[in-house]
Amino acid sequence: NKVVDNSNEIISLLGGKANIVSINQVGSRINLELVDDSLLDLEGLKQYGITNTIKMSSKIILVCNEASKINDLLQKNLQKQD
């Protein structure tokens, strides 16, 4: 499974740790608040099962089949100290 060991790559596609203000998961969606949404690599995220993205004024919603798994990995990675 591509998602399992690639949280660093996914965070990079989101613009890096410093670009992520908040992240939470609701059902099949991951809600993100980013500092700069122009750093988001939507095409790159598709390889990790992100099927759709919804851009709103202050947040991005990623729709994916493995939202819970991706969210858990991202949360663990974001809590690590560099």
Side-chain angles (χ1 to χ4, degrees):
N1 186 321
K2 253 190 129 118
V3 171
V4 174
D5 295 317
N6 291 303
S7 61
N8 285 329
E9 176 66 17
I10 295 170
I11 286 172
S12 177
L13 294 168
L14 296 173
K17 283 186 180 185
N19 196 42
I20 301 170
V21 176
S22 68
I23 181 169
N24 66 45
Q25 180 239 332
V26 180
S28 64
R29 297 174 182 216
I30 297 174
N31 300 322
L32 297 165
E33 185 179 347
L34 303 176
V35 174
D36 180 356
D37 64 13
S38 72
L39 299 175
L40 188 66
D41 181 347
L42 300 176
E43 286 303 310
L45 287 168
K46 287 181 182 177
Q47 67 183 314
Y48 295 102
I50 308 300
T51 56
N52 196 7
T53 56
I54 302 163
K55 278 191 171 188
M56 301 173 84
S57 60
S58 64
K59 68 180 176 180
I60 307 284
I61 299 172
L62 305 177
V63 181
C64 52
N65 295 330
E66 299 192 54
S68 179
K69 187 179 291 185
I70 292 172
N71 180 64
D72 290 348
L73 288 168
L74 293 177
Q75 294 286 1
K76 285 178 190 169
N77 188 303
L78 291 171
Q79 289 172 4
K80 288 183 196 171
Q81 298 298 316
D82 288 328

